[in-house]
Amino acid sequence: MTASAVEQLRKEGNELFKCGDYEGALTAYTQALGLGATPQDQAILHRNRAACHLKLEDYNKAETEASKAIEKDGGDVKALYRRSQALEKLGRLDQAVLDLQRCVSLEPKNKVFQEALRNIGGQIQEKVRYMSSTDAKVEQMFQILLDPQEKGTEKKQKASQNLVVLAREDAGAEKIFRSNGVQLLQRLLDTGEADLMLAALRTLVGICSEHQSRTVATLSVLGTRRVVSILGVESQAVSLAACHLLQVIFDALKEGVKKGFRGKEGAIIVDPARELKILISNLLELLTEVGVSGQGRDNALTLLIKAVPRKSLKDPNNSLTLWVIDQGLKKILEVGGSVQEPPGELAVTANSRMSASVLLSKLFDDLKCDAERENFHRLCENYIKSWFEGQGLAGKLRAIQTVSCLLQGPCEAGNRALELSGVMESVIALCASEQEEEQLVAVEALIHAAGKAKRASFITANGVSLLKDLYKRSEKDSIRIRALVGLCKLGSAGGTDFSMKQFAEGSTLKLAKQCRKWLCNDQMDAGTRRWAVEGLAYLTFDADVKEEFVEDEAALKALFQLSTSEERSVLFAVASALVNCTNSYDCEEPDPKMVELAKYAKQHVPEQHPKDKPAFVRARVKKLLAAGVVSAMTCMVKTESPVLTGSCRELLSRVFLALVDEVEDRGTVVAQGGGKALLPLALEGTDVGQTKAAQALAKLTITSNPEMTFPGERIYEVVRPLVSLLHLSCSGLQNFEALMALTNLAGISERLRQKILKEKAVPMIEGYMFEEHEMIRRAATECMCNLAMSKEVQDLFEATGNDRLKLLVLYSGEDDELLRRAAAGGLAMLTSMRPSLCSRIPQVTTHWLEILQALLLSPNQELQHRGVVVALNMVEASKEIAGTLMESEVLEILSVLAKGKESPVTRAAAACLGKAVEYGLIKPHQDGE
């Protein structure tokens, strides 16, 4: 029984493998191994698993499985060949060549093995040549760079560029590494010269990239503390380069934690998890170190945001987050509570507090249970109390600033901090202070607290009159602008509901006008003007404000300029204002019956502003496009800053989707770089944001030339977001647009078709071929027909035991002309590429002949041509099928078509008849026709 079950599962696995379902095949082979297979069967199953892993591009597992097969049967030539393929992909050419030599010795006449051995031999020779030629070059470069006589020369600049370029190739990086390169690069770092430090850091990026053993060796030479300290230098370019290097080091170490302790060359190294903690510990220390530049502190926060929280909540291990909270939460809060003006002990930038807020938010979201969250709250509250109590006015200001930081990040923790005895009262009291610095801190805290539900009623009762008073009486614009934002925030509580107005008629427009005035005042510093954008982000819920705003060209220009400035914390407010202007927020249409019921029960019913109707929204979109919104958003997407959070990305995705809604606007979006900007938005961010960006990409791909919209390699990056729209969780419109876009891509090149196949799109596309909605069904059929140009898809149609061919034949006889055209086109191509399918057409349905006749008699020239090509392919495939066709009405139809006006249809019909004559099935007329 066991032997037959193993055999059955193995056969199932083989069928799944042929159909391209490698995950399914892997599962079947694994189940078979668990049933106590014989050693011989085990060898076969392990080598089959190796083949699946090769297809899935997991070369480490492929090597492991092939090795297990070879352990069971040392002469298993297939297992040896698969292991050689895996080793080649892993860069271990010397080991791969040994396996291939064994294959050739076992099967000397096998041309596949001979060819593979020749190829790998060529690769090894090329590598040896490359290494020997670069030996002298590397030595020469370092000599020039370390020569004090060459200071500032063009020669030195060229040498540093060449070194960086060489390190980008793995072989070059290995050469530098083995030539005592890390020690020499350390000497370049020690010079303190910005140019040499940049060259050294960029070369180290190449050495450490995706190579954990070289990474750990580099850290042991340079010292983790030394590498991290470079972040804190005054030179922004050097600090950013150090940030990039540390990001590469993090990635290499994290990969090491995931895969075990082996590098590409198989060296045993120390525990990467321990190295990771040492690195993070040093970054946390840097946060509160005096003398570190503000830019360096921001870069350290950016690295912690990327490296610490889990990438996916499916990963159960959040121990790194818990460790960082215990070791470094106070240090992060210290940065969040520091002020830029007047300069304090810690140098910070305008973006530091927002970066700290984002990190705190990410850490809090990564917690799994109430006990972990309670510990977070306790640590925050203890820190705030330590400053608030017994530290005088300066301590109170520090505590309130920290509360603001929490309210901008994990607001649950911020709300808890506001509840602490005396905090809210101190905020209200300090708003009336005569010292500008004290007022600024208090008013900002009041603004951040205004949006939090728990305190909203308290602040509405106590804050509105206070803020109005500050706005009217303060002589300082910096205070007035913040007070105005507080009023805007409280005034927009009704959102887009026209009937819920907080302020008197016209007040909102007056506030918005003042915001626009401040925004356009370039004499003000960017940090203060940012608050004007914050105000507009709230006020643009009002349609009258939106209309006035998009008419104000100077305000739009100032908004876009500010969005591309160094003031990164403005990004979310800019994106929010644009979402409001384009109405790209989610808005559900209320059920009319429920509205009537609510009115009867005297319940509040939300009302839409007349100027939020589609015609007004379209007009606003046109004005934004004319003002250059796409260029500004493209710059925003490129921002390397923690402020560009998942939520901020989602807002930008929503705006882009609104901008490409009208077909005539898509050319403008593409021309201003919108296609390029959408790719990162579709690959990173919230699920909703990625879906919106992917839909915008689909719209662009449908109506424009994809090769121009996404030039070069970028076109291949479009495939994954489009395939993500095929999931059942997406709407019918998103499914349809994704299918249309993929159809366009599949018609461009084989490489793009392979990319679509690799993203496992085929089973989903097949599923939509059965969809009830005729437009989705038609789009899926068109897409499948374009994909049928690929060998793998042709194999699926040729495989036995499926109804793929039957579905195409039946769809070729449907009433929907566009569906018929797509199916008949696919049938014409498949029967041309795979003649064996011709003999199966009569077997799939008894109606095949009448479907073919209907195509031949169609008044549509395109359908007729496809029908004739199918008939010609069938006639050429076999004499038997040709005989069946010639005995039917098809002969008469072809005879009529062949006599028509010269066209592709007449030529194909004549070729059919000519082949029938050649078979001796029919005779030509006396006149030779």
Side-chain angles (χ1 to χ4, degrees), residues 168-223:
R168 284 181 191 148
E169 293 291 327
D170 188 60
E174 185 69 18
K175 188 70 239 166
I176 296 168
F177 180 72
R178 294 194 180 280
S179 304
N180 204 27
V182 179
Q183 284 86 344
L184 294 166
L185 290 167
Q186 186 177 23
R187 286 173 61 190
L188 289 181
L189 290 171
D190 291 341
T191 62
E193 291 178 36
D195 288 350
L196 292 180
M197 289 178 81
L198 279 172
L201 290 166
R202 288 166 182 165
T203 306
L204 285 166
V205 165
I207 289 172
C208 297
S209 192
E210 296 180 2
H211 205 299
Q212 61 176 38
S213 49
R214 282 203 303 247
T215 298
V216 175
T218 300
L219 283 175
S220 66
V221 173
L222 297 177

Side-chain angles (χ1 to χ4, degrees), residues 124-433:
I124 290 171
Q125 283 176 356
E126 187 59 38
K127 194 173 178 180
V128 169
R129 267 202 307 276
Y130 179 78
M131 297 297 265
S132 58
S133 68
T134 53
D135 263 353
K137 284 182 189 171
V138 171
E139 203 175 318
Q140 193 183 9
M141 285 178 214
F142 278 115
Q143 274 177 358
I144 294 166
L145 290 169
L146 292 166
D147 184 354
Q149 303 299 316
E150 295 284 359
K151 195 170 183 180
T153 63
E154 194 181 322
K155 203 173 175 185
K156 205 163 195 172
Q157 196 179 7
K158 191 84 186 285
S160 64
Q161 284 173 352
N162 288 344
L163 197 63
V164 174
V165 170
L166 184 64
R168 284 181 191 148
E169 293 291 327
D170 188 60
E174 185 69 18
K175 188 70 239 166
I176 296 168
F177 180 72
R178 294 194 180 280
S179 304
N180 204 27
V182 179
Q183 284 86 344
L184 294 166
L185 290 167
Q186 186 177 23
R187 286 173 61 190
L188 289 181
L189 290 171
D190 291 341
T191 62
E193 291 178 36
D195 288 350
L196 292 180
M197 289 178 81
L198 279 172
L201 290 166
R202 288 166 182 165
T203 306
L204 285 166
V205 165
I207 289 172
C208 297
S209 192
E210 296 180 2
H211 205 299
Q212 61 176 38
S213 49
R214 282 203 303 247
T215 298
V216 175
T218 300
L219 283 175
S220 66
V221 173
L222 297 177
T224 307
R225 181 85 198 117
R226 171 81 178 95
V227 179
V228 171
S229 69
I230 300 169
L231 274 179
V233 300
E234 284 300 326
S235 166
Q236 282 197 20
V238 173
S239 181
L240 270 173
C243 183
H244 184 205
L245 171 61
L246 285 163
Q247 182 62 57
V248 166
I249 289 172
F250 269 124
D251 292 342
L253 291 176
K254 279 203 160 185
E255 201 58 31
V257 173
K258 220 187 293 177
K259 288 191 175 177
F261 309 160
R262 195 177 69 185
K264 284 186 184 174
E265 72 285 359
I268 301 298
I269 64 162
V270 292
D271 182 356
R274 181 176 163 276
E275 293 293 322
L276 201 58
K277 276 194 172 178
I278 292 170
L279 198 48
I280 290 170
S281 176
N282 276 290
L283 282 173
L284 291 170
E285 290 294 326
L286 186 88
L287 288 180
T288 52
E289 228 171 78
V290 179
V292 169
S293 67
Q295 176 77 29
R297 231 177 285 284
D298 288 359
N299 286 335
L301 287 166
T302 302
L303 284 164
L304 289 166
I305 288 164
K306 288 180 179 176
V308 177
R310 290 171 291 170
K311 288 282 182 283
S312 165
L313 295 180
K314 290 176 186 172
D315 175 5
N317 184 9
N318 69 340
S319 59
L320 198 55
T321 293
L322 298 176
W323 182 79
V324 167
I325 288 169
D326 286 339
Q327 300 293 314
L329 186 63
K330 287 182 182 177
K331 292 181 171 68
I332 300 163
L333 290 170
E334 199 169 326
V335 177
S338 298
V339 287
Q340 195 180 2
E341 295 292 340
E345 242 185 35
L346 299 184
V348 290
T349 70
N351 302 314
S352 299
R353 188 171 66 186
M354 182 58 87
S355 296
S357 295
V358 172
L359 176 56
L360 289 165
S361 186
K362 295 254 185 191
L363 292 173
F364 188 77
D365 291 345
D366 205 33
L367 299 176
K368 291 195 292 187
C369 62
D370 289 345
E372 290 174 2
R373 283 185 275 274
E374 196 53 46
N375 177 54
F376 187 95
H377 290 315
R378 184 178 54 76
L379 289 169
C380 289
E381 287 165 22
N382 288 345
Y383 177 82
I384 290 163
K385 279 183 196 168
S386 72
W387 279 103
F388 196 76
E389 296 163 6
Q391 296 275 354
L393 184 58
K396 281 187 167 55
L397 285 170
R398 186 67 180 252
I400 292 168
Q401 184 86 341
T402 309
V403 171
S404 280
C405 178
L406 286 168
L407 284 166
Q408 284 179 283
C411 57
E412 194 181 314
N415 270 324
R416 286 270 296 255
L418 281 176
E419 305 283 323
L420 292 172
S421 173
V423 172
M424 200 68 221
E425 291 73 14
S426 293
V427 170
I428 299 288
L430 283 167
C431 281
S433 167

Side-chain angles (χ1 to χ4, degrees), residues 520-564:
C520 295
N521 183 355
D522 53 14
Q523 300 303 306
M524 276 185 171
D525 66 282
T528 306
R529 286 165 69 208
R530 168 176 78 85
W531 288 96
V533 184
E534 293 273 355
L536 287 166
Y538 291 108
L539 292 172
T540 46
F541 278 123
D542 185 304
D544 287 316
V545 173
K546 299 179 201 183
E547 286 295 314
E548 283 197 4
F549 185 36
V550 297
E551 291 292 345
D552 189 340
E553 286 182 28
L556 287 177
K557 190 178 175 184
L559 179 80
F560 299 154
Q561 279 177 344
L562 196 59
S563 71
T564 56

Side-chain angles (χ1 to χ4, degrees), residues 51-169:
C52 293
H53 286 307
L54 282 170
K55 289 287 186 186
L56 294 166
E57 296 185 10
D58 191 336
Y59 302 117
N60 278 311
K61 284 184 181 172
E63 184 218 344
T64 305
E65 289 296 332
S67 296
K68 285 178 183 174
I70 294 161
E71 279 172 28
K72 304 284 179 194
D73 179 2
D76 188 336
V77 75
K78 285 186 180 177
L80 282 162
Y81 180 58
R82 282 167 195 168
R83 186 167 74 175
S84 77
Q85 289 177 297
L87 289 165
E88 184 184 349
K89 291 289 185 185
L90 291 167
R92 287 146 64 187
L93 301 181
D94 49 344
Q95 290 168 271
V97 83
L98 294 173
D99 280 349
L100 279 172
Q101 284 169 346
R102 178 102 175 99
C103 289
V104 172
S105 68
L106 290 168
E107 289 187 16
K109 292 183 179 177
N110 190 315
K111 288 182 179 175
V112 174
F113 297 158
Q114 289 170 3
E115 185 61 30
L117 189 59
R118 266 198 301 277
N119 284 343
I120 210 160
Q123 285 181 53
I124 290 171
Q125 283 176 356
E126 187 59 38
K127 194 173 178 180
V128 169
R129 267 202 307 276
Y130 179 78
M131 297 297 265
S132 58
S133 68
T134 53
D135 263 353
K137 284 182 189 171
V138 171
E139 203 175 318
Q140 193 183 9
M141 285 178 214
F142 278 115
Q143 274 177 358
I144 294 166
L145 290 169
L146 292 166
D147 184 354
Q149 303 299 316
E150 295 284 359
K151 195 170 183 180
T153 63
E154 194 181 322
K155 203 173 175 185
K156 205 163 195 172
Q157 196 179 7
K158 191 84 186 285
S160 64
Q161 284 173 352
N162 288 344
L163 197 63
V164 174
V165 170
L166 184 64
R168 284 181 191 148
E169 293 291 327

